[in-house]
Amino acid sequence: MWPFSRSCQSTARLVGRTVVITGANTGIGKETARDLYRRGARVVLACRDLNKANAAIEELKSVPPSCPTREQFVGEPGEVVACKLDLNSLASVRECAKHISTTESAVHVLINNAGVMMCPKGVTEDGFETQLGTNHLGHFLFTLLLLPKIIQSRKDSDPCSRIINVSSMAHARGDINFDDLMSEKSYSPLKAYNQSKVANVLFTRELARRLKEANITGINVYTLHPGVIKSDLGRHLSAGPRFLLGIFRPFIKNIEQGAQTTIHCAVDEEAAKETGLYYKECAPTSPSSVALDDAKAARLWDTSIKLVGLPTHNLTELIEQVSKDYIK
């Protein structure tokens, strides 16, 4: 396993906080849920397969993190529940967001963790290229539909509410091809994946900018590279990439190590002072030059708004409209 992996050092407890994690029935999403649940949070697993989500819940309740004596795990655990979310379907995204907004008393942390990697060419229920649709557009819509609830949930006693988008170092080899966004002219599993991951970083940057522009405080936005991790995310890899992974196996993180930067962004006290940044190894670092392109971030925002069918590009107006439809 990777010998230089940093761990989240915060001992913060999360009693009274509600966390929503997409794709939390497996991999680093489940490990993140395990940690935050043991810190006392109410954790909502937003997953496509409810049977797998419920099985994960039983495991989370019975199997603690590997360092259960650490201060953050001393005390009663929180709660953990599941709800259905299929990021391949905008209808499912809307239904899940509405369910959470109307049944949960608050949402303090949203972790957009689910994703697919280098899968065969395909489209979502709404006709989007699978990787862009799942990794970016589904989470883009989910975030903006939950944003009024997150704003409503802010507490004076808490440093901030947080939105975390799990990206990858693969974003550094990506760009946004606005001329062929859905890879209809030419499809490469790797290029489509890289594009979806740079979209995660650009979305984070633009959301942070628009929150500031709208004078909405107390909500911080983060994106991150979790590390190279042995998980089922790479099930579509061909023989070549699998061979390379075999060569670099001594440097591959285990699942718990891979969750540490996500956990850091969710709980760390210093991170509460930061927004719009890209992290790896539990610290801010510089993303690619493409991911720092504000014009490209704004264009991706406008394009994504149209694709997911939201009524306006203006964040303040959007929050007002979504609040009427989703907050009761």
Side-chain angles (χ1 to χ4, degrees), residues 118 237-246:
M118 288 188 268
L237 291 179
S238 62
R242 286 185 184 277
F243 174 73
L244 290 175
L245 284 178

Side-chain angles (χ1 to χ4, degrees), residues 18-37:
T18 297
V19 181
V20 177
I21 310 177
T22 70
N25 63 283
T26 189
I28 62 172
K30 183 168 71 173
E31 202 59 45
T32 301
R34 191 190 315 277
D35 182 288
L36 304 186
Y37 161 67

Side-chain angles (χ1 to χ4, degrees), residues 135-187:
N135 297 348
H136 168 60
L137 289 170
H139 281 132
F140 177 87
L141 178 60
F142 193 53
T143 300
L144 294 185
L145 294 181
L146 285 180
L147 188 56
K149 188 71 175 184
I150 296 170
I151 292 171
Q152 184 190 72
S153 304
R154 291 173 298 178
K155 295 181 179 179
D156 293 339
S157 60
D158 294 321
C160 66
S161 292
R162 312 189 192 204
I163 297 169
I164 301 160
N165 298 314
V166 178
S167 182
S168 167
M169 67 178 182
H171 88 274
R173 298 185 297 275
D175 201 348
I176 306 297
N177 184 358
F178 289 105
D179 294 327
D180 188 24
L181 196 60
M182 299 304 161
S183 304
E184 294 171 318
K185 299 175 184 177
S186 175
Y187 180 73

Side-chain angles (χ1 to χ4, degrees), residues 237-259:
L237 291 179
S238 62
R242 286 185 184 277
F243 174 73
L244 290 175
L245 284 178
I247 293 176
F248 292 103
R249 188 170 301 279
F251 306 102
I252 295 176
K253 294 184 178 185
N254 62 34
I255 298 297
E256 185 173 10
Q257 290 172 323

Side-chain angles (χ1 to χ4, degrees), residues 94-154:
R94 291 178 183 275
E95 183 178 350
C96 182
K98 191 152 195 171
H99 173 78
I100 290 172
S101 295
T102 55
T103 62
E104 293 295 327
S105 61
V107 174
H108 302 102
V109 181
L110 170 62
I111 302 175
N112 292 316
N113 162 83
V116 292
M117 178 181 177
M118 288 188 268
C119 53
K121 185 176 182 179
V123 295
T124 68
E125 181 180 288
D126 303 279
F128 306 138
E129 185 277 315
T130 300
Q131 297 187 83
L132 187 73
T134 301
N135 297 348
H136 168 60
L137 289 170
H139 281 132
F140 177 87
L141 178 60
F142 193 53
T143 300
L144 294 185
L145 294 181
L146 285 180
L147 188 56
K149 188 71 175 184
I150 296 170
I151 292 171
Q152 184 190 72
S153 304
R154 291 173 298 178

